[in-house]
Amino acid sequence: MSVQALSGADVKATPQSPPLTAEHLKLVDRVAGWNILVGVLALSIGALLGVFQGLEHARVIDIYPWLQPVIKTYYQGLTLHGALNAVVWTTFFICGFFTFAFVRSLNRPLKYPKLSVIAFFVMLAGLIIAAVPMLMNNATVLYTFYPPLMADWAFYVGLTLLVVGSWIVGYSMYFTYYAWRKENPEVRAPFIALASTITMVLWQIATLGVAAEILFLILPNAFAPVFGYTAPGLDPLLSRTLFWWFGHPLVYFWLLPAYVSWYAMLPAQTNGKMFSEPLARLVFWLFLLFSTPVGFHHQYADPGIPEIWKYIHMLFTFGVGFPSLITAFTVVASLEIGARARGGKGYLRWIGRLNWGDPSYAAQNLAMILFIFGGIGGIINASYNVNMATHNTMWVPGHFHLTVGSASTLTFFGITYWLVPKLTNRKLFTPKLALAQAWTWFFGMLFFSNAYHTLGLVFSVPRRTMLGQAPYYSEQWNLQMMESVLGLAFLTISATLYFAIMLFTWILPRKLDKPIEMPVAQPLDPKPAPKWLDTWWPWLNGAIALVILSYGPMLFQLIRDAEFWSRGIRVW
Amino acid sequence: MSEQTHETEHAAESGGHSADPHGAAENHTEESALHIEKWEGIWIRIAVGMTVVFIVAITIAALSFGITVPGATARINPTTLNQEGNPFATPGVRELAPGKYEVYMVAQTWNFVPDRIEVPVGSEVTFYLTARDVIHGVKFAETNVNMMALPGQVSTLKATFDKPGTYNYICHEYCGYVAGAPIGHHTMYGQLIVLPANETAQATTE
Ligand code: HEM
Ligand SMILES: [Cu+2]
Ligand SMILES: [Cu+2]
């Protein structure tokens, strides 16, 4: 591994990377597999609850009376749906996927392999601790848990452990990255390793906000009834602001793992190359810079925050849109190379030559198409005053079922179509079913989200509401409700198929004929990226500086003027 | 899965560009400039241009049409809302001048006070909203009056109602519901009635 450009003087003391042994990979893969198993189980329950919610909204059936001993209300189900899908499925899948991909990309064992085992069990413990109150209807606060809504303390402790576990996954990666860097001072970090490490650092910065909210503001109140002291009280705006420090970069934590696959794996799945690898690095660095100083775009409608700060965060929001615009071009160019290598011709006809027959490929390409709509909707949401038309209406769930519910989720489905066979050493059961699964999800989400976007924008239908029982339910919504039910039908089939595919791939004794390796796209231009795209300090310091500039003054004021007038309340 | 995917490619990627055929000498004179392909460069310019156009458009809309979002107005202790002298102790519509109204509104589990507002067509209405217990939110259907109600904070927006009709205002932030109860977050709403010119009735003054 003595690679490029070591001038005579440097050669002396560079330590060697230890080899990546089969035994080490076995451990890594086992941990990755556990993570993905938990994620898929969470999603299976979460998706079922989603279907119930959709049916309730369209007044097809109000199933909640029948769910009684398990689920008391629509809102308890909605809390579970949000938490299981948007938090548990995503976080577990991402931690598993990154652990798997990171060591292979770096071609170096984890520095402290036990850390990833510890991380998994901390996350699992957190999940179980948080699940108990959620299932007992003691934490029906929705997955955003805005105080003064006050859940059972175990809900917050569980969430905290889940996040801390995911931090440990990050630490395991940073230690390994650092060791590798010492051993390979002049080499460019491999793209997948770099991009996944950047994503984990972004997550670390993001979660500081919610960690502060839970530890300093919520838990002192949640523990009060347990230990019998007087609760110190809450400042709802301060809590909300800390939550949204976390809430927006959270969406990049969901999205960037999908980008890792789109940039660096998907082209290889259709005979393509990475169109411009250095630019892809720049994209990830820009996300690190811009994904946090934008949180006020979720608080445009909030009192207590001066308009100028909302405006500043809007500017950064467009800044964070920019790397996604670059991605649109670069990823498509990478895929086009593949399609042309496969005999594709013409301006657009090449699209037909992409590797559509491969469910892993097809799912991810369909995810990208849905993300185009999700991205356009996102730009609209971001627009400060246009947001007033859509804020907290059904437009919003319409939007994020295209982003986290499709761009991320459908991409993760696609990844599992090679990764789960790899981890279980079993054949995918079956490629045809998996193709059907991807397409039904695509059409399901298309109809479902189109309907919800319209309900929100045209009819101001509120989100997070048990609409079927609402006195203001209107006949005018019927057309869109019917469209949403069409979407639900597709999604029900799709979710069922996914569960069945995962289950049967795992349990049926159908050994692989030949081993599977992680797809890795080679750069089209082998010239290494300039050094500044492989250097942490300017980007990391820049990101921290931007967070301080964009949040510092406002948070200082909010903390200085904090009034703990509110008491935690249970309203369910 | 297609065949091509499964080649052992990760070995080649590892170690960065160790496979670079140009060898050490050339790598040494490495550029710090980012190489950008022609069409890629054009696209990046388009992307920058689009971003700038959006920002300018939004800024102009905010400045010239007065489409705004709530800002920092005032704070109010939610436990004092009923005390005498507190503007929220007597929520409702007040006429300030002909065609100008203000509305003080409290959001609480599970209703708005007031839950019915009448104003003549063409009125300019300033809303002051706060919450008594948990967070609520309100949007007046078919308008851009959309704001959160937080305990401890006063939200303000101004709007002019030019079209007669009945507009629902609906709570759009989850604020609770007890299984089996007749009311809950989903029953929390009110109606704004914009009266046609000939019926310029007395808007309820407190
Ligand atoms: C079978 C597929 C799914 C269906 C039918 C479905 C349906 C729904 C429905 C009807 C709502 C309630 C909207 C409202 O009243 O505000 C909802 C909310 C939500 N869904 Fe899904 N969903 C699905 C999958 C997913 C996935 C895969 C994710 C994320 C990975 C997701 C994340 C969320 C989130 C975060 C919420 C908001 C919860 C809240 O407001 O607190 N959903 N979904
Ligand atoms: Cu956001
Ligand atoms: Cu409410």
Side-chain angles (χ1 to χ4, degrees):
Chain A
M1 280 271 278
S2 80
V3 196
Q4 27 170 296
L6 292 180
S7 62
D10 290 339
V11 181
K12 48 176 176 21
T14 322
Q16 285 281 309
S17 282
L20 186 58
T21 60
E23 201 169 336
H24 186 84
L25 282 178
K26 214 163 128 189
L27 175 80
V28 167
D29 290 3
R30 186 166 299 165
V31 176
W34 292 339
N35 273 289
I36 291 168
L37 175 64
V38 175
V40 170
L41 286 176
L43 179 86
S44 305
I45 303 168
L48 181 66
L49 289 165
V51 173
F52 293 162
Q53 287 150 210
L55 293 175
E56 195 283 335
H57 287 351
R59 287 190 163 165
V60 175
I61 177 174
D62 174 4
I63 200 150
Y64 298 92
W66 279 280
L67 298 181
Q68 269 317 309
V70 192
I71 288 170
K72 299 272 184 301
T73 61
Y74 170 84
Y75 301 102
Q76 190 191 355
L78 185 61
T79 304
L80 283 162
H81 177 79
L84 289 176
N85 287 337
V87 181
V88 180
W89 149 247
T90 51
T91 309
F92 276 87
F93 176 84
I94 291 165
C95 288
F97 172 55
F98 273 0
T99 309
F100 176 95
F102 177 80
V103 288
R104 286 174 166 79
S105 170
L106 215 51
N107 196 25
R108 188 207 188 283
L110 292 173
K111 174 97 185 171
Y112 304 112
K114 289 217 179 76
L115 273 187
S116 50
V117 180
I118 295 171
F120 172 76
F121 284 105
V122 172
M123 284 166 66
L124 187 65
L127 169 58
I128 294 167
I129 294 172
V132 171
M134 278 196 282
L135 289 171
M136 292 175 59
N137 197 27
N138 285 333
T140 300
V141 290
L142 306 192
Y143 82 118
T144 45
F145 55 89
Y146 298 135
L149 297 177
M150 189 54 59
D152 192 80
W153 62 271
F155 173 74
Y156 307 106
V157 170
L159 283 187
T160 307
L161 285 179
L162 185 78
V163 168
V164 168
S166 69
W167 286 355
I168 300 175
V169 175
Y171 303 150
S172 162
M173 287 163 64
Y174 315 147
F175 284 128
T176 310
Y177 188 98
Y178 185 75
W180 176 90
R181 174 52 77 208
K182 280 269 140 79
E183 295 147 5
N184 304 271
E186 292 301 318
V187 182
R188 294 290 170 271
F191 177 78
I192 293 174
L194 180 71
S196 46
T197 311
I198 293 175
T199 308
M200 287 317 259
V201 172
L202 184 158
W203 176 241
Q204 176 69 56
I205 297 176
T207 40
L208 292 179
V210 72
E213 184 200 2
I214 292 183
L215 294 181
F216 300 127
L217 302 175
I218 295 181
L219 277 181
N221 286 280
F223 278 132
V226 183
F227 296 109
Y229 60 88
T230 320
L234 290 151
D235 184 323
L237 182 63
L238 178 57
S239 306
R240 225 172 122 79
T241 305
L242 286 171
F243 182 87
W244 284 113
W245 156 319
F246 152 80
H248 189 82
L250 169 65
V251 314
Y252 287 102
F253 178 64
W254 295 331
L255 188 63
L256 293 190
Y259 276 19
V260 169
S261 179
W262 296 355
Y263 267 116
M265 298 180 177
L266 202 55
Q269 294 178 273
T270 186
N271 309 61
K273 299 211 163 188
M274 240 179 127
F275 184 73
S276 86
E277 201 250 22
L279 201 63
R281 289 169 192 258
L282 178 64
V283 163
F284 274 81
W285 290 123
L286 289 177
F287 278 122
L288 181 62
L289 276 185
F290 289 127
S291 59
T292 310
V294 296
F296 290 156
H297 73 216
H298 293 267
Q299 297 181 274
Y300 286 152
D302 277 18
I305 295 169
E307 288 175 50
I308 182 70
W309 282 109
K310 296 179 179 175
Y311 184 79
I312 291 169
H313 280 220
M314 180 203 68
L315 297 183
F316 284 126
T317 303
F318 282 98
V320 79
F322 179 67
S324 280
L325 289 173
I326 301 184
T327 302
F329 182 90
T330 313
V331 169
V332 172
S334 306
L335 301 180
E336 183 182 344
I337 295 170
R340 295 204 186 276
R342 297 163 62 88
K345 301 243 154 34
Y347 275 116
L348 290 174
R349 270 184 303 135
W350 58 267
I351 293 171
R353 284 297 178 99
L354 291 162
N355 196 6
W356 291 106
D358 172 0
S360 172
Y361 179 82
Q364 299 188 56
N365 201 327
L366 294 173
M368 285 178 195
I369 296 171
L370 291 179
F371 190 55
I372 296 173
F373 301 113
I376 295 171
I379 291 176
I380 294 174
N381 297 341
S383 303
Y384 192 54
N385 29 37
V386 186
N387 183 275
M388 293 293 100
T390 57
H391 171 77
N392 262 6
T393 67
M394 277 304 210
W395 168 284
V396 178
H399 166 70
F400 62 62
H401 284 89
L402 290 180
T403 53
V404 65
S406 295
S408 301
T409 296
L410 191 47
T411 298
F412 298 168
F413 289 167
I415 294 171
T416 56
Y417 288 154
W418 63 262
L419 184 53
V420 169
K422 158 91 189 161
L423 294 174
T424 55
N425 197 28
R426 297 281 195 276
K427 279 191 205 151
L428 185 66
F429 181 91
T430 66
K432 284 245 163 56
L433 285 179
L435 269 178
Q437 190 279 324
W439 281 97
T440 42
W441 193 271
F442 175 78
F443 282 112
M445 279 299 179
L446 208 57
F447 292 126
F448 175 78
S449 80
N450 184 265
Y452 278 27
H453 274 96
T454 315
L455 286 171
L457 185 65
V458 179
F459 301 111
S460 301
V461 178
R463 69 176 287 207
R464 314 190 115 172
T465 301
M466 192 186 187
L467 291 174
Q469 304 291 320
Y472 46 78
Y473 200 93
S474 165
E475 304 268 288
Q476 288 181 305
W477 308 347
N478 286 354
L479 188 63
Q480 281 72 28
M481 286 298 182
M482 270 153 61
E483 187 189 2
S484 78
V485 173
L486 179 63
L488 290 176
F490 277 107
L491 287 168
T492 310
I493 296 169
S494 190
T496 313
L497 278 176
Y498 185 67
F499 184 73
I501 292 165
M502 287 294 112
L503 182 69
F504 291 120
T505 301
W506 188 32
I507 63 170
L508 290 184
R510 300 166 5 116
K511 285 230 153 46
L512 285 176
D513 307 329
K514 54 179 186 308
I516 294 179
E517 288 304 333
M518 178 168 94
V520 176
Q522 299 303 309
L524 184 63
D525 178 357
K527 214 160 61 227
K531 181 139 188 147
W532 56 276
L533 287 176
D534 202 22
T535 309
W536 279 86
W537 67 266
W539 307 104
L540 187 56
N541 290 341
I544 294 170
L546 277 184
V547 173
I548 293 174
L549 284 175
S550 63
Y551 268 109
M554 199 59 228
L555 270 182
F556 172 76
Q557 275 183 41
L558 286 176
I559 293 169
R560 185 194 59 197
D561 304 339
E563 297 282 6
F564 299 100
W565 284 324
S566 289
R567 304 280 149 224
I569 319 178
R570 176 175 173 145
V571 286
W572 66 91
Chain B
M1 289 293 300
S2 73
E3 273 69 309
Q4 315 77 343
T5 320
H6 302 144
E7 266 134 47
T8 320
E9 286 176 318
H10 71 267
E13 200 214 22
S14 59
H17 301 276
S18 51
D20 189 340
H22 301 300
E26 199 173 309
N27 271 322
H28 223 77
T29 56
E30 139 202 311
E31 304 166 37
S32 64
L34 179 60
H35 172 76
I36 289 179
E37 194 264 351
K38 179 175 156 224
W39 282 103
E40 200 166 39
I42 293 173
W43 172 252
I44 291 176
R45 285 186 185 86
I46 294 175
V48 172
M50 271 168 28
T51 306
V52 171
V53 168
F54 277 130
I55 292 176
V56 170
I58 293 162
T59 311
I60 291 175
L63 295 180
S64 60
F65 304 115
I67 307 174
T68 48
V69 296
T73 313
R75 309 204 54 178
I76 194 146
N77 185 336
T79 60
T80 64
L81 295 187
N82 287 344
Q83 285 171 15
E84 210 177 319
N86 189 313
F88 290 97
T90 50
V93 189
R94 294 181 188 88
E95 187 169 6
L96 299 174
K100 276 192 194 297
Y101 294 84
E102 63 178 17
V103 174
Y104 275 82
M105 190 187 288
V106 177
Q108 59 191 23
T109 48
W110 288 285
N111 58 359
F112 289 106
V113 192
D115 62 5
R116 187 183 163 89
I117 302 169
E118 288 183 13
V119 290
V121 67
S123 306
E124 184 193 88
V125 184
T126 309
F127 294 94
Y128 297 93
L129 173 70
T130 194
R132 190 187 298 280
D133 35 42
V134 295
I135 296 183
H136 303 262
V138 69
K139 178 166 196 280
F140 285 74
E142 296 166 58
T143 72
N144 279 343
V145 179
N146 192 344
M147 53 191 166
M148 302 304 294
L150 268 61
Q153 302 281 344
V154 180
S155 316
T156 307
L157 274 181
K158 196 185 286 187
T160 305
F161 294 94
D162 287 330
K163 228 176 75 200
T166 302
Y167 301 86
N168 286 343
Y169 49 97
I170 298 175
C171 179
H172 61 40
E173 187 55 82
Y174 166 69
C175 56
Y177 166 60
V178 179
I183 58 168
H185 163 55
H186 44 269
T187 63
M188 179 167 168
Y189 84 120
Q191 289 189 322
L192 170 84
I193 294 147
V194 179
L195 300 166
N198 51 6
E199 279 179 47
T200 315
Q202 301 313 320
T204 32
T205 320
E206 279 145 67

